[in-house]
């Protein structure tokens, strides 16, 4: 089984957890760290997550590559081959990982990340019907 941690500046992590709960009922499948919302030192929380993996695969999502949260996570996961760090986190990638039924591998993560990229959506320039009735057709 995969264990998942979301660590972010502010309440992004708990916001993603809330969305997971609303969309899937699986918000309890992730651990969250909302950094810098108070004076709490969150580094021991990262260490605890890693220590409790017990050989399981750990996936840690951070919000910003090179940000302080990401830097502290990277320092803690050094020498842990069973932990993957994904940064620039968005809800689609977290959903994909949470809903993945099998053990996560690097190749599988790369596939899920590619499918979860940000997309530019433009209004169609033709007479496409965008009503609610046509959505499921």
């Amino acid at each position: 089984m995969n264990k998942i941690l979301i660590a972010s500046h502010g309440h992004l992590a708990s916001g993603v957890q809330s969305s997971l709960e609303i969309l899937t009922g699986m918000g309890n499948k992730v651990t969250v760290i909302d950094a810098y919302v108070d004076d709490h030192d969150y580094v021991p929380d990262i260490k605890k997550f890693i220590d409790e993996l017990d050989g399981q695969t750990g996936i840690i999502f951070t919000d910003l590559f090179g940000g302080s949260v990401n830097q502290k996570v990277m320092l803690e996961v050094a020498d842990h081959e069973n932990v993957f760090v994904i940064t620039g986190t968005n809800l689609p990638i977290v959903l994909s990982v949470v809903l993945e039924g099998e053990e996560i591998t690097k190749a599988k993560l790369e596939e899920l990340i590619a499918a979860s990229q940000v997309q530019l959506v433009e209004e169609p320039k033709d007479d496409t019907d965008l009503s609610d009735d046509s959505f499921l057709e």
Side-chain angles (χ1 to χ4, degrees):
M1 189 65 178
N2 307 306
K3 291 187 74 173
I4 300 168
L5 170 67
I6 308 169
S8 70
H9 297 83
H11 295 286
L12 179 66
S14 58
V16 170
Q17 182 184 42
S18 173
S19 295
L20 282 173
E21 183 61 30
I22 290 167
L23 295 170
T24 67
M26 298 173 75
N28 64 337
K29 299 287 186 192
V30 299
T31 302
V32 297
I33 294 173
D34 288 332
Y36 305 112
V37 297
D38 55 27
D39 291 334
H40 177 73
D41 178 8
Y42 60 91
V43 174
D45 300 331
I46 298 168
K47 290 178 181 182
K48 179 181 178 200
F49 175 82
I50 294 168
D51 290 343
E52 292 177 353
L53 287 175
D54 293 326
Q56 296 177 356
T57 299
I59 299 105
I60 302 178
F61 294 96
T62 66
D63 55 352
L64 186 63
F65 177 71
S68 56
V69 175
N70 179 257
Q71 289 178 32
K72 290 180 181 181
V73 165
M74 295 304 294
L75 287 173
E76 297 305 322
V77 302
D79 303 328
H80 290 89
E81 294 181 14
N82 61 324
V83 180
F84 297 104
V85 178
I86 300 171
T87 192
T89 298
N90 62 28
L91 181 58
I93 185 58
V94 177
L95 274 167
S96 296
V97 171
V98 167
L99 295 173
E100 180 59 38
E102 299 186 19
E103 190 73 19
I104 293 287
T105 63
K106 182 179 179 185
K108 186 61 174 181
L109 274 177
E110 289 170 342
E111 177 186 323
L112 295 174
I113 290 167
S116 301
Q117 295 298 309
V118 176
Q119 299 177 22
L120 175 64
V121 180
E122 298 183 87
E123 190 173 321
K125 298 195 185 329
D126 57 17
D127 293 333
T128 303
D129 182 7
L130 296 177
S131 68
D132 289 343
D133 295 333
S134 71
F135 181 73
L136 297 175
E137 291 178 358

Short mmCIF file of all heavy atoms in Angstrom, two decimals, residues 73-108:
data_model
loop_
_atom_site.label_atom_id
_atom_site.label_comp_id
_atom_site.label_asym_id
_atom_site.label_seq_id
_atom_site.Cartn_x
_atom_site.Cartn_y
_atom_site.Cartn_z
N VAL A 73 11.59 18.77 2.93
CA VAL A 73 11.22 17.40 2.56
C VAL A 73 12.40 16.71 1.89
O VAL A 73 12.74 15.57 2.24
CB VAL A 73 9.98 17.38 1.64
CG1 VAL A 73 9.80 16.03 0.96
CG2 VAL A 73 8.73 17.76 2.41
N MET A 74 13.05 17.37 0.95
CA MET A 74 14.16 16.75 0.22
C MET A 74 15.31 16.38 1.17
O MET A 74 15.95 15.34 0.98
CB MET A 74 14.66 17.69 -0.88
CG MET A 74 13.64 17.93 -2.00
SD MET A 74 13.04 16.41 -2.77
CE MET A 74 14.50 15.81 -3.57
N LEU A 75 15.56 17.20 2.17
CA LEU A 75 16.62 16.87 3.14
C LEU A 75 16.26 15.61 3.92
O LEU A 75 17.13 14.79 4.22
CB LEU A 75 16.83 18.04 4.11
CG LEU A 75 17.55 19.26 3.54
CD1 LEU A 75 17.53 20.40 4.56
CD2 LEU A 75 18.99 18.92 3.16
N GLU A 76 14.99 15.44 4.23
CA GLU A 76 14.57 14.30 5.04
C GLU A 76 14.48 13.00 4.23
O GLU A 76 14.63 11.91 4.79
CB GLU A 76 13.23 14.58 5.73
CG GLU A 76 13.29 15.72 6.72
CD GLU A 76 14.36 15.55 7.79
OE1 GLU A 76 14.57 14.41 8.26
OE2 GLU A 76 15.00 16.55 8.16
N VAL A 77 14.20 13.08 2.93
CA VAL A 77 14.03 11.86 2.14
C VAL A 77 15.33 11.35 1.52
O VAL A 77 15.36 10.25 0.98
CB VAL A 77 12.96 12.00 1.02
CG1 VAL A 77 11.62 12.38 1.61
CG2 VAL A 77 13.40 12.97 -0.05
N ALA A 78 16.39 12.13 1.63
CA ALA A 78 17.68 11.65 1.12
C ALA A 78 17.97 10.29 1.76
O ALA A 78 17.72 10.08 2.92
CB ALA A 78 18.77 12.66 1.47
N ASP A 79 18.44 9.36 0.99
CA ASP A 79 18.75 7.99 1.46
C ASP A 79 17.51 7.12 1.66
O ASP A 79 17.62 6.04 2.23
CB ASP A 79 19.56 8.01 2.77
CG ASP A 79 20.86 8.78 2.65
OD1 ASP A 79 21.44 8.79 1.54
OD2 ASP A 79 21.27 9.39 3.65
N HIS A 80 16.34 7.56 1.24
CA HIS A 80 15.13 6.73 1.34
C HIS A 80 14.64 6.43 -0.08
O HIS A 80 13.93 7.22 -0.69
CB HIS A 80 14.03 7.45 2.13
CG HIS A 80 14.33 7.56 3.58
ND1 HIS A 80 15.03 8.62 4.12
CD2 HIS A 80 14.05 6.73 4.61
CE1 HIS A 80 15.15 8.44 5.42
NE2 HIS A 80 14.57 7.30 5.75
N GLU A 81 15.03 5.27 -0.59
CA GLU A 81 14.68 4.92 -1.96
C GLU A 81 13.20 4.60 -2.15
O GLU A 81 12.71 4.57 -3.27
CB GLU A 81 15.53 3.73 -2.41
CG GLU A 81 17.00 4.07 -2.52
CD GLU A 81 17.84 2.90 -2.99
OE1 GLU A 81 17.27 1.91 -3.49
OE2 GLU A 81 19.07 2.99 -2.86
N ASN A 82 12.49 4.38 -1.07
CA ASN A 82 11.07 4.03 -1.17
C ASN A 82 10.15 5.26 -1.08
O ASN A 82 8.94 5.12 -0.93
CB ASN A 82 10.68 3.03 -0.08
CG ASN A 82 10.88 3.58 1.32
OD1 ASN A 82 11.83 4.33 1.58
ND2 ASN A 82 10.00 3.20 2.24
N VAL A 83 10.74 6.46 -1.18
CA VAL A 83 9.95 7.69 -1.09
C VAL A 83 10.12 8.49 -2.37
O VAL A 83 11.23 8.77 -2.81
CB VAL A 83 10.38 8.55 0.12
CG1 VAL A 83 9.53 9.83 0.19
CG2 VAL A 83 10.26 7.77 1.42
N PHE A 84 8.98 8.87 -2.95
CA PHE A 84 8.97 9.74 -4.14
C PHE A 84 8.45 11.11 -3.73
O PHE A 84 7.51 11.21 -2.93
CB PHE A 84 8.04 9.16 -5.21
CG PHE A 84 8.46 7.82 -5.74
CD1 PHE A 84 7.81 6.67 -5.34
CD2 PHE A 84 9.51 7.70 -6.65
CE1 PHE A 84 8.17 5.43 -5.82
CE2 PHE A 84 9.89 6.47 -7.14
CZ PHE A 84 9.22 5.32 -6.73
N VAL A 85 9.05 12.15 -4.28
CA VAL A 85 8.60 13.52 -4.02
C VAL A 85 8.10 14.11 -5.32
O VAL A 85 8.80 14.08 -6.34
CB VAL A 85 9.74 14.40 -3.44
CG1 VAL A 85 9.24 15.82 -3.22
CG2 VAL A 85 10.27 13.80 -2.14
N ILE A 86 6.87 14.61 -5.29
CA ILE A 86 6.26 15.27 -6.44
C ILE A 86 6.02 16.71 -6.04
O ILE A 86 5.41 16.98 -4.99
CB ILE A 86 4.93 14.60 -6.83
CG1 ILE A 86 5.17 13.14 -7.18
CG2 ILE A 86 4.26 15.35 -7.97
CD1 ILE A 86 3.90 12.34 -7.38
N THR A 87 6.48 17.64 -6.83
CA THR A 87 6.30 19.05 -6.51
C THR A 87 5.50 19.75 -7.60
O THR A 87 5.35 19.23 -8.70
CB THR A 87 7.66 19.73 -6.27
OG1 THR A 87 7.45 21.02 -5.69
CG2 THR A 87 8.47 19.85 -7.55
N GLY A 88 4.99 20.92 -7.29
CA GLY A 88 4.06 21.60 -8.20
C GLY A 88 2.71 20.90 -8.17
O GLY A 88 2.01 20.78 -9.17
N THR A 89 2.35 20.43 -7.01
CA THR A 89 1.18 19.57 -6.82
C THR A 89 -0.11 20.24 -7.26
O THR A 89 -0.32 21.43 -7.05
CB THR A 89 1.08 19.19 -5.33
OG1 THR A 89 2.24 18.45 -5.00
CG2 THR A 89 -0.15 18.40 -5.04
N ASN A 90 -0.98 19.42 -7.87
CA ASN A 90 -2.34 19.85 -8.18
C ASN A 90 -3.30 18.74 -7.80
O ASN A 90 -2.90 17.60 -7.54
CB ASN A 90 -2.48 20.28 -9.65
CG ASN A 90 -2.20 19.16 -10.63
OD1 ASN A 90 -2.38 17.98 -10.35
ND2 ASN A 90 -1.75 19.54 -11.82
N LEU A 91 -4.58 19.08 -7.74
CA LEU A 91 -5.58 18.10 -7.33
C LEU A 91 -5.63 16.88 -8.26
O LEU A 91 -5.72 15.75 -7.76
CB LEU A 91 -6.96 18.76 -7.22
CG LEU A 91 -8.11 17.87 -6.77
CD1 LEU A 91 -7.83 17.24 -5.41
CD2 LEU A 91 -9.40 18.68 -6.74
N PRO A 92 -5.54 17.04 -9.59
CA PRO A 92 -5.59 15.85 -10.45
C PRO A 92 -4.50 14.81 -10.16
O PRO A 92 -4.78 13.61 -10.16
CB PRO A 92 -5.46 16.41 -11.86
CG PRO A 92 -6.01 17.79 -11.76
CD PRO A 92 -5.59 18.27 -10.39
N ILE A 93 -3.28 15.23 -9.88
CA ILE A 93 -2.24 14.24 -9.62
C ILE A 93 -2.46 13.56 -8.28
O ILE A 93 -2.27 12.35 -8.14
CB ILE A 93 -0.80 14.82 -9.73
CG1 ILE A 93 0.25 13.71 -9.58
CG2 ILE A 93 -0.55 15.93 -8.73
CD1 ILE A 93 0.15 12.59 -10.57
N VAL A 94 -2.90 14.30 -7.28
CA VAL A 94 -3.17 13.67 -5.98
C VAL A 94 -4.32 12.68 -6.12
O VAL A 94 -4.24 11.55 -5.63
CB VAL A 94 -3.46 14.74 -4.90
CG1 VAL A 94 -3.82 14.07 -3.58
CG2 VAL A 94 -2.27 15.67 -4.71
N LEU A 95 -5.38 13.06 -6.82
CA LEU A 95 -6.49 12.15 -7.07
C LEU A 95 -6.01 10.88 -7.77
O LEU A 95 -6.39 9.77 -7.38
CB LEU A 95 -7.56 12.81 -7.95
CG LEU A 95 -8.61 13.63 -7.27
CD1 LEU A 95 -9.39 14.46 -8.29
CD2 LEU A 95 -9.56 12.77 -6.47
N SER A 96 -5.19 11.04 -8.78
CA SER A 96 -4.70 9.88 -9.54
C SER A 96 -3.91 8.93 -8.66
O SER A 96 -4.08 7.70 -8.75
CB SER A 96 -3.82 10.34 -10.70
OG SER A 96 -4.57 11.08 -11.63
N VAL A 97 -3.08 9.46 -7.80
CA VAL A 97 -2.27 8.61 -6.93
C VAL A 97 -3.14 7.95 -5.86
O VAL A 97 -3.00 6.75 -5.59
CB VAL A 97 -1.10 9.41 -6.30
CG1 VAL A 97 -0.39 8.61 -5.23
CG2 VAL A 97 -0.12 9.84 -7.40
N VAL A 98 -4.04 8.71 -5.27
CA VAL A 98 -4.91 8.15 -4.23
C VAL A 98 -5.77 7.03 -4.80
O VAL A 98 -5.99 6.00 -4.16
CB VAL A 98 -5.79 9.25 -3.60
CG1 VAL A 98 -6.90 8.66 -2.74
CG2 VAL A 98 -4.93 10.20 -2.76
N LEU A 99 -6.26 7.20 -6.02
CA LEU A 99 -7.16 6.22 -6.62
C LEU A 99 -6.42 5.05 -7.26
O LEU A 99 -7.06 4.06 -7.64
CB LEU A 99 -8.07 6.90 -7.64
CG LEU A 99 -9.06 7.91 -7.06
CD1 LEU A 99 -9.79 8.65 -8.17
CD2 LEU A 99 -10.04 7.25 -6.10
N GLU A 100 -5.10 5.14 -7.40
CA GLU A 100 -4.32 4.05 -7.97
C GLU A 100 -4.37 2.85 -7.04
O GLU A 100 -4.01 2.95 -5.87
CB GLU A 100 -2.87 4.49 -8.20
CG GLU A 100 -1.97 3.44 -8.79
CD GLU A 100 -2.44 2.93 -10.14
OE1 GLU A 100 -2.93 3.73 -10.96
OE2 GLU A 100 -2.30 1.72 -10.36
N GLY A 101 -4.80 1.74 -7.55
CA GLY A 101 -5.00 0.57 -6.71
C GLY A 101 -3.76 -0.26 -6.47
O GLY A 101 -3.75 -1.13 -5.60
N GLU A 102 -2.71 -0.03 -7.22
CA GLU A 102 -1.52 -0.86 -7.11
C GLU A 102 -0.36 -0.07 -6.53
O GLU A 102 -0.41 1.16 -6.42
CB GLU A 102 -1.15 -1.41 -8.48
CG GLU A 102 -2.27 -2.28 -9.06
CD GLU A 102 -1.87 -2.96 -10.36
OE1 GLU A 102 -0.67 -3.06 -10.63
OE2 GLU A 102 -2.78 -3.37 -11.07
N GLU A 103 0.69 -0.79 -6.19
CA GLU A 103 1.90 -0.16 -5.67
C GLU A 103 2.45 0.83 -6.71
O GLU A 103 2.55 0.52 -7.88
CB GLU A 103 2.95 -1.23 -5.36
CG GLU A 103 4.14 -0.73 -4.60
CD GLU A 103 3.85 -0.43 -3.14
OE1 GLU A 103 2.84 -0.93 -2.61
OE2 GLU A 103 4.63 0.31 -2.53
N ILE A 104 2.81 2.00 -6.25
CA ILE A 104 3.31 3.05 -7.14
C ILE A 104 4.79 2.80 -7.45
O ILE A 104 5.59 2.55 -6.54
CB ILE A 104 3.14 4.43 -6.49
CG1 ILE A 104 1.66 4.80 -6.36
CG2 ILE A 104 3.88 5.50 -7.27
CD1 ILE A 104 0.95 5.17 -7.63
N THR A 105 5.12 2.89 -8.73
CA THR A 105 6.51 2.82 -9.18
C THR A 105 6.86 4.16 -9.81
O THR A 105 5.98 4.98 -10.09
CB THR A 105 6.68 1.72 -10.24
OG1 THR A 105 5.88 2.07 -11.39
CG2 THR A 105 6.28 0.35 -9.71
N LYS A 106 8.13 4.37 -10.07
CA LYS A 106 8.55 5.61 -10.72
C LYS A 106 7.90 5.73 -12.10
O LYS A 106 7.40 6.80 -12.46
CB LYS A 106 10.08 5.65 -10.85
CG LYS A 106 10.57 6.94 -11.48
CD LYS A 106 12.08 6.99 -11.57
CE LYS A 106 12.51 8.29 -12.24
NZ LYS A 106 13.94 8.34 -12.47
N ALA A 107 7.86 4.65 -12.85
CA ALA A 107 7.25 4.67 -14.19
C ALA A 107 5.76 5.01 -14.10
O ALA A 107 5.24 5.80 -14.91
CB ALA A 107 7.45 3.33 -14.89
N LYS A 108 5.07 4.44 -13.12
CA LYS A 108 3.65 4.72 -12.97
C LYS A 108 3.43 6.18 -12.58
O LYS A 108 2.52 6.84 -13.08
CB LYS A 108 3.03 3.79 -11.91
CG LYS A 108 1.54 3.94 -11.79
CD LYS A 108 0.86 3.58 -13.12
CE LYS A 108 -0.62 3.56 -13.01
NZ LYS A 108 -1.27 3.20 -14.28
#
